Amino acid sequence: MKKIYLFLLLTVLFIDFASAQSNYASDNYTKKDAYITMRDGIKLFTSIYTPKDASAQKKYPMIMQRTCYSVAPYGAGKFPRVLGPSETMMKEGYIVVYQDVRGRYKSEGTWTNMTPVIDHKKSKKDVDEGSDTYDTIDWLVKNVANNNGKVGQWGISYPGFYTAAGILSNHPALKASSPQAPISDFFFDDFHHNGALLESYFFTYPVFGVQKTDTTSKAWYNAQNIKTGTQDGYQFLLDMGPLANADKYYKDNFFWQETINHPNYDEFWQKRSLPRHFNKVKPAVMFVGGWFDAEDLSGPLDMFKKIHKTDPSAYNTIVMGPFGHGRWSRETGHTFHSNVYFGDSIATFYQKNIEAKFFNHFLKGNGDKNSGLPEAYMFDTGKKEWEKFPQWPAANATHQRLYLNADGKITMTAPASTGSMSYVSDPAKPVPYTEDNTTTMGFTPHNYMSEDQRFAGRRPDVLVYQTDVLQDDMTLGGEILSHLKIASTGTDADFVVKLIDVYPPDEPNNPNQPNKNILMSNYEQMVRSEIMPARFRNSFEKPEALVVNQKTEVPVRLQDVLHTFKKGHRLMIQVQSTAFPLFARNPQKFVENPYKAAASDYVKATETVFNDSFIDVEVLK
């Protein structure tokens, strides 16, 4: 379990926790720690790193990250290896600020997951992440020497949420905000997808569900870590049985208890939805995400679209690269995701030509809307190159229906006669979401989102549909919505839809490929996937049982994509009902609260998909 938290801290904060040593940060910056008092009296621990050459004649802007994952290394004279979002920006010179948020590590207060926003604050006791951001910025611009009065904010994952929530502070000094892989709504990304629980996060609940008793620089929650005695998360979680059995581990974990007692999209989750609070936006905003982000793919896309809708005059941009969760924050040289190669030094290109350009323009330049960056800087994961769009989804996108025929073929026109395909879904033998069992107990299963899907498509409980070999390139750019027409012998079911790029038989392996045992010949690269519980087909607030054997539509939104299916490839769709232990198993018998279902509620069911089912995609000409 210690590896999980080390990995989390490295990938989210990309800070080297080694003891102070001679490096650029310690050689060129000074460090000061301070407690900043919020309007309700709570003090938040803050580390401030200032360039040594800062003076009244040479003032610097501030760039800030607020985090629940520790601002370590703590202590005077102790420096991380890199300050700020990247080495590039560190060397260009910024006053870099890190802050432990309320209730975490050395800060005071009580910890709350996805702090609900208070739009209309009536007293000093009405605090949220927006007010804490405001109070922090206000103190910084008044008390940090030689700052130029301009502040930027960035963060990845949970710090991305704090960055997005910080936009709501409306402090006049906040000029630029870059929420990166931000959590937007725990019911639709991160811990749930469309209300389906990510059981792969089961081992992480101590991080988020244990309150500390005092300010500390140590991980106080480690005592609740589960001692599994195995490295096989699939087997451990299968043997655990129904989620009701998890209380033996997490009876005193407040976040687990909140989760299992709120199975629907009720007021508890709605209050923690951030996008609904965006109206007028003052700072320039650049959302950043990865097309293969296993945690927070929907966050940047949803919040970008929300601001675009509510405040079209705002400077609101988005960047999506060929990355897993937060992987744009450090360079790997040859850029792979799973076994798919996308090019060299892509993270460095992003850091120098996109991220640094954004912050430099708004914090050091004139700050007008002519930043030189497009509204959407998107990486085509099929062509394997960056594309610039003046708007997203692209204006030239046209809708195309991909019909799932009863013979397993995908066609662009509706079938002439009625047909269907069926499979038996057995919760006792769920479809694995991956072949790589080493990823089933970590914090994020990074690789599965572009992993070879042959292992799944060869199972009898997975339906496979594909086109003929493509005679021309086909670029999908924009949103994807599946319209499944199904019938079930059960009263509840989950449906997983996967969009897959099938490589040709003569596809060569890349010489730098991390897994030499994988053949790229006929590789089935997952491009996008999503799950949808049938119980929520009409409402996330009020679930409904399926009527046995009654034809029913279940919509499955797959998020956006920019991917060119190359000439000689095929486009494939797979449909299944389990992807374990990524997602918790649906009992397939409707119960009011699936988290409290008994073992007897888990039943086999035959799922039928009719051939008037189709996938609505946007095609770029």
Side-chain angles (χ1 to χ4, degrees):
M1 288 300 294
K2 291 181 179 178
K3 292 181 180 179
I4 295 174
Y5 305 120
L6 177 60
F7 175 73
L8 166 69
L9 293 172
L10 288 173
T11 55
V12 174
L13 303 178
F14 58 92
I15 292 176
D16 182 358
F17 291 95
S19 298
Q21 56 186 349
S22 179
N23 59 24
Y24 188 92
S26 59
D27 291 345
N28 292 275
Y29 283 78
T30 60
K31 179 181 181 181
K32 177 183 177 180
D33 293 333
Y35 272 101
I36 301 177
T37 303
M38 302 294 102
R39 64 190 63 182
D40 64 344
I42 293 296
K43 297 179 174 64
L44 303 187
F45 183 84
T46 310
S47 291
I48 305 162
Y49 299 85
T50 303
K52 289 182 177 179
D53 63 351
S55 66
Q57 292 72 42
K58 191 174 185 180
K59 296 184 177 182
Y60 287 95
M62 289 182 279
I63 185 82
M64 176 176 68
Q65 181 184 97
R66 305 184 65 246
T67 180
C68 57
Y69 295 132
S70 164
V71 304
Y74 295 98
K78 293 184 178 180
F79 286 75
R81 186 183 64 82
V82 176
L83 290 169
S86 69
E87 190 171 350
T88 294
M89 287 184 61
M90 174 179 68
K91 291 182 177 179
E92 289 180 350
Y94 285 82
I95 299 171
V96 184
V97 179
Y98 295 96
Q99 184 178 78
D100 287 332
V101 298
R102 186 179 289 255
R104 300 295 280 188
Y105 289 90
K106 296 195 76 172
S107 285
E108 297 176 351
T110 301
W111 159 248
T112 302
N113 279 293
M114 295 285 287
T115 309
V117 174
I118 303 173
D119 287 317
H120 304 290
K121 299 174 177 64
K122 299 178 181 179
S123 73
K124 290 184 177 181
K125 293 183 178 180
D126 289 339
V127 293
D128 56 17
E129 302 306 337
S131 67
D132 282 356
T133 301
Y134 186 100
D135 294 347
T136 298
I137 292 175
D138 208 55
W139 187 94
L140 291 171
V141 295
K142 293 174 182 176
N143 291 279
V144 175
N146 304 316
N147 77 82
N148 72 355
K150 296 181 180 181
V151 179
Q153 191 174 359
W154 99 103
I156 299 173
S157 194
Y158 224 140
F161 159 76
Y162 294 116
T163 303
I167 295 171
L168 302 174
S169 71
N170 290 321
H171 196 288
L174 181 62
K175 302 299 184 182
S177 178
S178 183
Q180 302 180 9
I183 306 166
S184 61
D185 189 318
F186 265 159
F187 203 75
F188 296 100
D189 64 1
D190 218 281
F191 278 85
H192 300 84
H193 283 204
N194 292 321
L197 180 75
L198 270 81
E199 195 166 350
S200 57
Y201 281 19
F202 184 74
F203 303 105
T204 71
Y205 276 85
V207 181
F208 305 104
V210 179
Q211 297 284 5
K212 64 185 180 68
T213 57
D214 199 358
T215 56
T216 179
S217 61
K218 306 297 183 182
W220 65 94
Y221 44 75
N222 282 343
Q224 202 179 82
N225 291 346
I226 299 172
K227 296 177 175 60
T228 63
T230 179
Q231 296 181 349
D232 184 350
Y234 181 104
Q235 196 62 49
F236 177 86
L237 292 169
L238 189 66
D239 291 344
M240 184 178 75
L243 292 174
N245 294 340
D247 258 11
K248 63 183 176 183
Y249 302 111
Y250 292 150
K251 183 178 181 180
D252 298 321
N253 186 291
F254 74 86
F255 186 47
W256 177 256
Q257 295 301 321
E258 289 170 344
T259 299
I260 65 174
N261 286 304
H262 296 278
N264 307 322
Y265 195 51
D266 59 12
E267 184 182 11
F268 176 83
W269 298 114
Q270 291 173 19
K271 287 170 61 176
R272 285 160 172 76
S273 174
L274 190 56
R276 65 179 59 202
H277 297 282
F278 288 121
N279 291 303
K280 286 293 181 181
V281 172
K282 293 182 179 180
V285 179
M286 184 177 74
F287 289 102
V288 180
W291 286 126
F292 305 111
D293 187 342
E295 290 191 35
D296 301 300
L297 173 64
S298 67
L301 291 162
D302 287 350
M303 285 195 274
F304 165 77
K305 292 176 185 177
K306 176 64 174 181
I307 292 176
H308 186 76
K309 181 178 180 180
T310 58
D311 189 3
S313 65
Y315 184 94
N316 174 39
T317 59
I318 188 167
V319 181
M320 297 294 293
F323 304 111
H325 189 64
R327 295 299 178 90
W328 52 87
S329 66
R330 65 185 189 276
E331 184 55 71
T332 57
H334 304 304
T335 304
F336 282 84
H337 188 272
S338 188
N339 296 288
V340 183
Y341 171 70
F342 292 102
D344 287 348
S345 304
I346 298 178
T348 297
F349 175 88
Y350 156 77
Q351 291 167 15
K352 289 184 175 181
N353 298 289
I354 302 176
E355 183 178 54
K357 187 174 183 177
F358 169 77
F359 281 117
N360 286 343
H361 178 77
F362 289 102
L363 300 181
K364 294 184 176 183
N366 63 23
D368 63 15
K369 291 187 177 182
N370 299 314
S371 66
L373 295 168
E375 178 175 294
Y377 218 136
M378 315 296 253
F379 193 92
D380 186 318
T381 52
K383 284 185 179 178
K384 301 178 181 178
E385 59 187 37
W386 287 101
E387 300 278 1
K388 298 178 182 180
F389 295 90
Q391 67 181 72
W392 187 264
N396 63 335
T398 58
H399 286 269
Q400 175 66 60
R401 291 184 175 187
L402 307 177
Y403 285 92
L404 307 183
N405 284 255
D407 60 0
K409 289 187 176 182
I410 294 174
T411 58
M412 309 297 178
T413 57
S417 58
T418 302
S420 64
M421 296 174 67
S422 300
Y423 60 94
V424 176
S425 175
D426 184 356
K429 297 180 180 179
V431 180
Y433 77 91
T434 181
E435 280 191 302
D436 185 358
N437 284 328
T438 66
T439 69
T440 56
M441 296 184 72
F443 201 94
T444 301
H446 279 278
N447 290 330
Y448 87 91
M449 289 189 68
S450 68
E451 190 177 351
D452 185 7
Q453 296 300 302
R454 282 175 283 196
F455 76 93
R458 291 167 179 169
R459 285 180 57 119
D461 48 0
V462 178
L463 299 184
V464 177
Y465 306 85
Q466 63 180 332
T467 64
D468 293 331
V469 174
L470 298 176
Q471 301 303 306
D472 298 290
D473 288 0
M474 180 180 182
T475 300
L476 303 189
E479 299 176 344
I480 304 172
L481 181 61
S482 298
H483 297 264
L484 293 185
K485 314 295 178 64
I486 64 93
S488 177
T489 60
T491 52
D492 198 3
D494 288 343
F495 290 95
V496 178
V497 178
K498 298 186 290 191
L499 173 69
I500 295 165
D501 186 342
V502 183
Y503 290 25
D506 60 353
E507 184 76 19
N509 278 29
N510 186 287
N512 298 302
Q513 196 171 306
N515 190 335
K516 307 300 182 184
N517 295 322
I518 294 294
L519 291 176
M520 301 309 290
S521 170
N522 295 322
Y523 190 87
E524 295 179 4
Q525 180 201 335
M526 189 156 76
V527 175
R528 185 65 69 245
S529 67
E530 193 54 280
I531 190 171
M532 182 66 189
R535 64 193 291 114
F536 295 134
R537 65 194 180 279
N538 294 319
S539 169
F540 289 103
E541 293 87 354
K542 297 178 180 179
E544 299 174 47
L546 290 168
V547 178
V548 173
N549 291 327
Q550 178 174 297
K551 188 176 181 180
T552 307
E553 179 167 339
V554 177
V556 187
R557 179 174 173 246
L558 268 73
Q559 308 300 334
D560 296 44
V561 69
L562 179 59
H563 185 87
T564 295
F565 292 80
K566 303 288 287 184
K567 176 182 178 181
H569 290 224
R570 295 174 186 260
L571 185 152
M572 176 185 285
I573 299 292
Q574 291 183 2
V575 179
Q576 59 200 66
S577 287
T578 51
F580 189 77
L582 181 66
F583 296 107
R585 296 165 295 154
N586 189 313
Q588 302 186 156
K589 173 184 175 183
F590 184 86
V591 293
E592 291 297 325
N593 187 338
Y595 299 119
K596 299 183 179 181
S600 59
D601 293 323
Y602 288 75
V603 297
K604 291 182 183 180
T606 299
E607 314 296 355
T608 298
V609 177
F610 294 95
N611 65 344
D612 54 344
S613 299
F614 63 91
I615 316 297
D616 186 299
V617 298
E618 293 187 87
V619 180
L620 301 185
K621 302 295 186 182

mmCIF file of all heavy atoms in Angstrom, residues 105-119:
data_model
loop_
_atom_site.group_PDB
_atom_site.id
_atom_site.type_symbol
_atom_site.label_atom_id
_atom_site.label_comp_id
_atom_site.label_asym_id
_atom_site.label_seq_id
_atom_site.Cartn_x
_atom_site.Cartn_y
_atom_site.Cartn_z
ATOM 1 N N TYR A 105 -2.817 17.622 6.507
ATOM 2 C CA TYR A 105 -1.428 17.761 6.906
ATOM 3 C C TYR A 105 -1.240 18.888 7.922
ATOM 4 O O TYR A 105 -1.826 18.856 9.003
ATOM 5 C CB TYR A 105 -0.532 17.886 5.677
ATOM 6 C CG TYR A 105 -0.451 16.557 4.946
ATOM 7 C CD1 TYR A 105 -1.365 16.238 3.939
ATOM 8 C CD2 TYR A 105 0.479 15.597 5.313
ATOM 9 C CE1 TYR A 105 -1.336 15.002 3.305
ATOM 10 C CE2 TYR A 105 0.524 14.361 4.681
ATOM 11 C CZ TYR A 105 -0.380 14.063 3.683
ATOM 12 O OH TYR A 105 -0.360 12.833 3.070
ATOM 13 N N LYS A 106 -0.484 19.928 7.611
ATOM 14 C CA LYS A 106 -0.133 20.916 8.625
ATOM 15 C C LYS A 106 -1.133 22.069 8.730
ATOM 16 O O LYS A 106 -0.924 22.997 9.505
ATOM 17 C CB LYS A 106 1.277 21.461 8.370
ATOM 18 C CG LYS A 106 2.371 20.392 8.493
ATOM 19 C CD LYS A 106 3.760 20.968 8.603
ATOM 20 C CE LYS A 106 4.014 21.531 9.984
ATOM 21 N NZ LYS A 106 5.429 21.943 10.188
ATOM 22 N N SER A 107 -2.218 21.981 7.954
ATOM 23 C CA SER A 107 -3.254 23.009 8.060
ATOM 24 C C SER A 107 -4.293 22.627 9.104
ATOM 25 O O SER A 107 -4.530 21.450 9.377
ATOM 26 C CB SER A 107 -3.947 23.219 6.712
ATOM 27 O OG SER A 107 -3.111 23.943 5.830
ATOM 28 N N GLU A 108 -4.927 23.632 9.655
ATOM 29 C CA GLU A 108 -5.983 23.424 10.636
ATOM 30 C C GLU A 108 -7.308 23.152 9.917
ATOM 31 O O GLU A 108 -7.412 23.224 8.700
ATOM 32 C CB GLU A 108 -6.120 24.670 11.518
ATOM 33 C CG GLU A 108 -4.886 24.998 12.341
ATOM 34 C CD GLU A 108 -5.035 26.285 13.129
ATOM 35 O OE1 GLU A 108 -6.030 27.027 12.903
ATOM 36 O OE2 GLU A 108 -4.160 26.571 13.972
ATOM 37 N N GLY A 109 -8.336 22.843 10.715
ATOM 38 C CA GLY A 109 -9.674 22.699 10.179
ATOM 39 C C GLY A 109 -10.088 21.266 9.948
ATOM 40 O O GLY A 109 -9.350 20.328 10.242
ATOM 41 N N THR A 110 -11.276 21.098 9.431
ATOM 42 C CA THR A 110 -11.853 19.787 9.173
ATOM 43 C C THR A 110 -11.864 19.511 7.676
ATOM 44 O O THR A 110 -12.251 20.369 6.875
ATOM 45 C CB THR A 110 -13.303 19.722 9.718
ATOM 46 O OG1 THR A 110 -13.275 19.987 11.133
ATOM 47 C CG2 THR A 110 -13.915 18.345 9.480
ATOM 48 N N TRP A 111 -11.477 18.304 7.309
ATOM 49 C CA TRP A 111 -11.390 17.891 5.912
ATOM 50 C C TRP A 111 -12.766 17.501 5.376
ATOM 51 O O TRP A 111 -13.517 16.770 6.012
ATOM 52 C CB TRP A 111 -10.424 16.721 5.824
ATOM 53 C CG TRP A 111 -10.518 15.824 4.629
ATOM 54 C CD1 TRP A 111 -10.931 14.531 4.621
ATOM 55 C CD2 TRP A 111 -10.168 16.141 3.289
ATOM 56 N NE1 TRP A 111 -10.854 14.015 3.356
ATOM 57 C CE2 TRP A 111 -10.383 14.977 2.511
ATOM 58 C CE3 TRP A 111 -9.688 17.285 2.652
ATOM 59 C CZ2 TRP A 111 -10.141 14.932 1.147
ATOM 60 C CZ3 TRP A 111 -9.439 17.237 1.291
ATOM 61 C CH2 TRP A 111 -9.672 16.076 0.558
ATOM 62 N N THR A 112 -13.078 18.007 4.181
ATOM 63 C CA THR A 112 -14.313 17.661 3.494
ATOM 64 C C THR A 112 -13.985 17.289 2.062
ATOM 65 O O THR A 112 -13.274 18.034 1.382
ATOM 66 C CB THR A 112 -15.305 18.845 3.487
ATOM 67 O OG1 THR A 112 -15.576 19.230 4.837
ATOM 68 C CG2 THR A 112 -16.601 18.463 2.790
ATOM 69 N N ASN A 113 -14.483 16.145 1.592
ATOM 70 C CA ASN A 113 -14.284 15.770 0.200
ATOM 71 C C ASN A 113 -15.149 16.635 -0.706
ATOM 72 O O ASN A 113 -16.355 16.759 -0.478
ATOM 73 C CB ASN A 113 -14.640 14.293 -0.006
ATOM 74 C CG ASN A 113 -13.526 13.371 0.416
ATOM 75 O OD1 ASN A 113 -12.470 13.336 -0.190
ATOM 76 N ND2 ASN A 113 -13.748 12.631 1.497
ATOM 77 N N MET A 114 -14.519 17.204 -1.745
ATOM 78 C CA MET A 114 -15.248 18.035 -2.714
ATOM 79 C C MET A 114 -16.127 19.047 -1.980
ATOM 80 O O MET A 114 -17.355 19.043 -2.080
ATOM 81 C CB MET A 114 -16.096 17.166 -3.640
ATOM 82 C CG MET A 114 -15.309 16.234 -4.533
ATOM 83 S SD MET A 114 -14.510 17.071 -5.923
ATOM 84 C CE MET A 114 -15.909 17.425 -6.971
ATOM 85 N N THR A 115 -15.484 19.932 -1.255
ATOM 86 C CA THR A 115 -16.184 20.911 -0.438
ATOM 87 C C THR A 115 -17.339 21.559 -1.199
ATOM 88 O O THR A 115 -17.139 22.150 -2.267
ATOM 89 C CB THR A 115 -15.218 22.029 0.001
ATOM 90 O OG1 THR A 115 -14.044 21.435 0.572
ATOM 91 C CG2 THR A 115 -15.879 22.941 1.015
ATOM 92 N N PRO A 116 -18.577 21.453 -0.704
ATOM 93 C CA PRO A 116 -19.698 22.101 -1.395
ATOM 94 C C PRO A 116 -19.501 23.611 -1.511
ATOM 95 O O PRO A 116 -19.013 24.261 -0.584
ATOM 96 C CB PRO A 116 -20.890 21.767 -0.498
ATOM 97 C CG PRO A 116 -20.494 20.500 0.211
ATOM 98 C CD PRO A 116 -19.017 20.639 0.443
ATOM 99 N N VAL A 117 -19.889 24.156 -2.659
ATOM 100 C CA VAL A 117 -19.778 25.589 -2.909
ATOM 101 C C VAL A 117 -20.945 26.321 -2.255
ATOM 102 O O VAL A 117 -22.097 25.881 -2.339
ATOM 103 C CB VAL A 117 -19.749 25.877 -4.426
ATOM 104 C CG1 VAL A 117 -19.782 27.373 -4.697
ATOM 105 C CG2 VAL A 117 -18.519 25.242 -5.069
ATOM 106 N N ILE A 118 -20.630 27.411 -1.595
ATOM 107 C CA ILE A 118 -21.666 28.299 -1.042
ATOM 108 C C ILE A 118 -21.709 29.531 -1.936
ATOM 109 O O ILE A 118 -20.812 30.385 -1.880
ATOM 110 C CB ILE A 118 -21.354 28.681 0.412
ATOM 111 C CG1 ILE A 118 -21.216 27.430 1.286
ATOM 112 C CG2 ILE A 118 -22.443 29.601 0.966
ATOM 113 C CD1 ILE A 118 -20.743 27.721 2.701
ATOM 114 N N ASP A 119 -22.706 29.617 -2.785
ATOM 115 C CA ASP A 119 -22.770 30.714 -3.748
ATOM 116 C C ASP A 119 -23.006 32.063 -3.072
ATOM 117 O O ASP A 119 -22.450 33.076 -3.487
ATOM 118 C CB ASP A 119 -23.878 30.449 -4.775
ATOM 119 C CG ASP A 119 -23.499 29.357 -5.761
ATOM 120 O OD1 ASP A 119 -22.346 29.351 -6.227
ATOM 121 O OD2 ASP A 119 -24.355 28.507 -6.063
#
